[in-house]
Amino acid sequence: MSDIRITPLIRSLPNAVPFVGPETLERVRGAPFDARLGANESIFGPSPRAIQAMRDAAVEIWKYPDSTSHDLRHALAAQNGIAPENIVVGEGIDGLLGYLVRLMIAPGDTVVTSDGAYPTFNYHVTGYGGVLHKVPYRDDHEDPAALMVRAAEVGARLVYLANPDNPMGTWHDGAALTAALDALPDGAMLVLDEAYVEFAPAAAPVHIDDPRVIRMRTFSKAYGMAGARVGYAMGPAALIAEFEKVRNHFGMNRMAQVGALAALEDAGWLAHVLAEVAAARDTIARIATENGLRSIPSATNFVSIDCGGDGALARAVVDGLAERGVFVRMPFAAPQNRCIRVSCGAPADLEIFQAALPGALAGARGLP
């Protein structure tokens, strides 16, 4: 409708969303999936202590949440050996990325990311009028050196890097990230997305007061609370204070705040989940090998499997699995889109995937 007074910028953007959720796909297919292995959720669930804490908090859901997330921020600060002033809590990494872009990017400002990396970041950049520049992956890894070269070429304000990476599950060690920071051009900031850091061999050795870096983490993955939408950013206190100017101060759910605090305190459950994920990664890799496919070593709660062809073949495998009741996803950009991405699941979920994969592969290859 021409009389709706949206801005010219928003009018210019495509009608697209970063992800189509499994619930939408289930409505289209008219049936639920038997195995939900496409969204990198923790099928192993949150800590029982977190569940109980949220149940107990339900009776006070009539109250607004603590607008400062005081208890959770202080607990996170203690765990990470930093001050509460170095942490802001928000509605998942997605929400915090939106706030960061709003803080840092004016129309026309340039941003550098990898082609095929997390699309929600791109969604926020274009939504605020930023100009995206992309570099390709290198050997199925994001390429920190190439990112920094491009950032210098275009005068980027932000450089996005996920470590470990989504959608490939690969990672860089501390030395590679230190070298990348040394090459970061003046005036740029590295957005280090560490959504999967609990699964990684180690976190990047970045000092909390380094003004060149902001780190994003979440309770959606290892802590099994994707539906609660709890994320946090860590960085210099002066930068974190700027979030107070733009964030939704009552955006956090009260029960989610309580649940995240209880989850953080249950180290035993986190260790249990990490062990389950490691076992599931091995199982997925074995299933891939049994079907003549190659899995890519992962430091996340999913495994990317090379289907041995191009994006069209991988799409046909994804569709064939969906027809057989298994929800998986695939990377968006070539050549990584030759792969399918399978979330770590319980043994019963992976048995369903194992049974469905041969038929989906045969159908994608045009075999009987």
Side-chain angles (χ1 to χ4, degrees):
M1 295 175 61
S2 60
D3 58 340
I4 298 178
R5 297 184 178 181
I6 62 174
T7 68
L9 169 61
I10 299 303
R11 193 180 297 279
S12 72
L13 298 177
N15 293 321
V17 295
F19 296 105
V20 177
E23 292 83 4
T24 299
L25 298 175
E26 287 175 331
R27 286 190 287 270
V28 171
R29 70 190 296 265
F33 289 111
D34 300 316
R36 180 168 164 145
L37 299 171
N40 301 347
E41 301 148 324
S42 177
I43 294 170
F44 309 106
S47 159
R49 296 185 195 176
I51 295 172
Q52 188 59 53
M54 289 187 282
R55 285 174 175 159
D56 293 343
V59 297
E60 294 191 329
I61 201 64
W62 58 273
K63 297 179 181 178
Y64 285 108
D66 176 1
S67 64
T68 68
S69 296
H70 175 278
D71 293 349
L72 181 56
R73 281 194 308 110
H74 280 69
L76 287 165
Q79 184 192 66
N80 288 280
I82 58 179
E85 291 75 22
N86 295 117
I87 296 178
V88 59
V89 172
E91 309 91 311
I93 289 178
D94 292 355
L96 290 166
L97 286 173
Y99 296 139
L100 177 68
V101 172
R102 184 178 176 189
L103 286 172
M104 302 292 294
I105 301 302
D109 285 344
T110 53
V111 175
V112 170
T113 186
S114 300
D115 189 17
Y118 193 50
T120 300
F121 177 68
N122 305 351
Y123 175 83
H124 289 308
V125 170
T126 56
Y128 284 105
V131 179
L132 281 166
H133 294 264
K134 300 178 182 180
V135 302
Y137 278 60
R138 181 177 180 182
D139 298 328
D140 292 327
H141 290 66
E142 291 194 63
D143 189 341
L147 287 167
M148 300 312 160
V149 169
R150 182 61 60 85
E153 291 173 345
V154 301
R157 296 268 293 164
L158 294 176
V159 181
Y160 176 88
L161 173 66
N163 192 52
D165 171 65
N166 178 18
M168 300 311 293
T170 50
W171 72 99
H172 292 285
D173 61 20
L177 293 177
T178 298
L181 270 177
D182 290 342
L184 185 73
D186 291 342
M189 176 175 289
L190 177 63
V191 185
L192 188 56
D193 186 334
E194 296 183 320
Y196 300 92
V197 70
E198 289 85 3
F199 304 106
V206 179
H207 195 279
I208 193 62
D209 293 323
D210 191 328
R212 301 171 296 174
V213 187
I214 185 167
R215 305 165 80 156
M216 302 281 182
R217 295 186 179 178
T218 184
F219 283 81
S220 295
K221 307 303 181 184
Y223 288 102
M225 296 182 62
R229 311 309 303 129
V230 185
Y232 59 103
M234 301 189 296
L239 172 60
I240 297 301
E242 295 297 315
F243 280 81
E244 296 303 309
K245 298 177 180 178
V246 298
R247 73 179 181 89
N248 180 357
H249 286 72
F250 289 111
M252 289 303 302
N253 179 284
R254 185 180 187 88
M255 291 168 62
Q257 289 173 324
V258 171
L261 180 59
L264 192 68
E265 294 170 346
D266 193 349
W269 183 259
L270 178 61
H272 160 74
V273 170
L274 297 183
E276 293 285 349
V277 166
R281 285 198 302 248
D282 290 343
T283 300
I284 295 169
R286 175 180 56 78
I287 294 170
T289 300
E290 291 173 351
N291 285 273
L293 306 178
R294 182 179 71 89
S295 63
I296 295 172
S298 171
T300 64
N301 67 339
F302 63 86
V303 176
S304 289
I305 298 175
D306 188 337
C307 292
D310 58 10
L313 176 65
R315 168 52 59 191
V317 174
V318 169
D319 292 343
L321 287 169
E323 291 171 2
R324 292 163 174 81
V326 179
F327 166 58
V328 301
R329 281 198 173 118
M330 59 183 285
F332 296 113
Q336 283 67 48
N337 67 351
R338 72 190 190 281
C339 299
I340 61 171
R341 193 193 65 188
V342 183
S343 299
C344 292
D349 300 300
L350 298 184
E351 287 174 6
I352 295 170
F353 170 65
Q354 182 177 23
L357 182 58
L361 283 169
R365 294 166 176 164
L367 301 175

